[in-house]
Amino acid sequence: MKQYLPKLAYFGIVLLFMPKQAYAMHIMEGFLPIGWAIFWFALCLPFLVKGLKVIRIVVKENPESKLLLALSGAFTFVLSALKIPSVTGSCSHPTGVGLGSILFGPFVMSVLGSIVLLFQSLLLAHGGITTLGANIFSMAIVGPFIAVGVYKLATKWGLSISVAVFFAAMLGDLGTYVMTSVQLALAFPSEVGGILGSFQKFASIFALTQIPLAISEGLLTVMIMNFLQKYNMKELVQLRILKAKES
């Protein structure tokens, strides 16, 4: 794993100096009414407090997992920073939260995802400080919980690790944008159709761009997990992702 750290650092530095594009699918700075901005911040706090406690326990019980924690954060940062122009005239991007959610659970990913979103809002003009709470809730909380739920359900049904990882990452990505559509619909209900009408409008825009990206994110996450299974089996067993007999 250590030999890949310079490559991860290189990609991180490259992203910092890439041309900044403000049009993206995180809710942008100042877009939400102040009441909704405060509401989403407040809703995130219990998840972040719980996430910090879980991270402390994970690091204490499995010090070797620090590299995987860093990898999960870097994976989320790199993927969610890839803003791709879409047919809707906006930009779209994967979320990258599926990998860390499967490895460490949704509460840990809520903290890592929040750090990523904070850096993106400060360094890449992606999202914003006033809308940080809403973006954290959709990408760093709802997405990871969906990913973990899908992964556990898929493995319970006897599907292979690769298939479970694919669906977890893909549906975690899509779930993020369904939640973003709900947030926008609540803040800006349509004059015709109300909240439901507004949700349909936002969700239809996101669906055109996000579905192919979600599938791509699922495939990429499977590739990373296969890599970890090959070179980090001990850590995956310690994190109870895999059983010893599967190694």
Side-chain angles (χ1 to χ4, degrees), residues 140-170:
I141 294 176
V142 171
F145 269 92
I146 291 175
V148 171
V150 170
Y151 180 78
K152 288 185 176 180
L153 194 61
T155 52
K156 186 177 180 181
W157 285 348
L159 299 180
S160 68
I161 296 294
S162 296
V163 174
V165 169
F166 171 77
F167 281 111
M170 181 185 71

Side-chain angles (χ1 to χ4, degrees), residues 25-224:
M25 279 193 170
H26 286 319
I27 303 175
M28 65 182 179
E29 175 68 15
F31 193 71
L32 287 179
I34 186 64
W36 281 112
I38 295 173
F39 172 78
W40 293 116
F41 265 117
L43 204 57
C44 291
L45 289 178
F47 295 93
L48 298 180
V49 172
K50 175 70 175 180
L52 289 171
K53 291 180 180 178
V54 176
I55 287 177
R56 191 180 306 158
I57 294 172
V58 169
V59 172
K60 183 178 180 180
E61 292 181 349
N62 302 295
E64 301 85 359
S65 64
K66 290 179 181 177
L67 281 176
L68 287 182
L69 267 174
L71 174 66
S72 300
F75 186 71
T76 301
F77 183 85
V78 171
L79 260 66
S80 60
L82 294 175
K83 290 169 279 187
I84 303 169
S86 73
V87 293
T88 61
S90 180
C91 289
S92 190
H93 67 82
T95 64
V97 298
L99 179 66
S101 303
I102 294 168
L103 293 177
F104 296 102
F107 289 104
V108 170
M109 205 59 222
S110 69
V111 176
L112 296 181
S114 299
I115 295 171
V116 167
L117 287 167
L118 176 62
F119 274 93
Q120 289 194 355
S121 64
L122 295 175
L123 302 176
L124 302 179
H126 191 186
I129 296 299
T130 62
T131 56
L132 186 60
N135 290 329
I136 287 174
F137 191 80
S138 62
M139 195 185 101
I141 294 176
V142 171
F145 269 92
I146 291 175
V148 171
V150 170
Y151 180 78
K152 288 185 176 180
L153 194 61
T155 52
K156 186 177 180 181
W157 285 348
L159 299 180
S160 68
I161 296 294
S162 296
V163 174
V165 169
F166 171 77
F167 281 111
M170 181 185 71
L171 295 179
D173 179 306
L174 287 178
T176 294
Y177 286 93
V178 171
M179 189 64 228
T180 302
S181 301
V182 171
Q183 292 170 320
L184 292 172
L186 289 172
F188 306 103
S190 174
E191 293 184 0
V192 180
I195 294 175
L196 181 59
S198 183
F199 169 78
Q200 290 175 337
K201 180 183 69 175
F202 286 115
S204 62
I205 294 173
F206 287 152
L208 286 175
T209 56
Q210 205 58 34
I211 289 177
L213 276 181
I215 294 173
S216 302
E217 178 174 342
L219 294 173
L220 180 60
T221 307
V222 170
M223 292 172 61
I224 298 297

Side-chain angles (χ1 to χ4, degrees), residues 1-10 67 227 231-232:
M1 178 62 68
K2 291 182 178 178
Q3 65 267 32
Y4 292 96
L5 288 178
K7 294 182 179 179
L8 291 175
Y10 169 78
L67 281 176
F227 174 85
Y231 295 103
N232 295 81

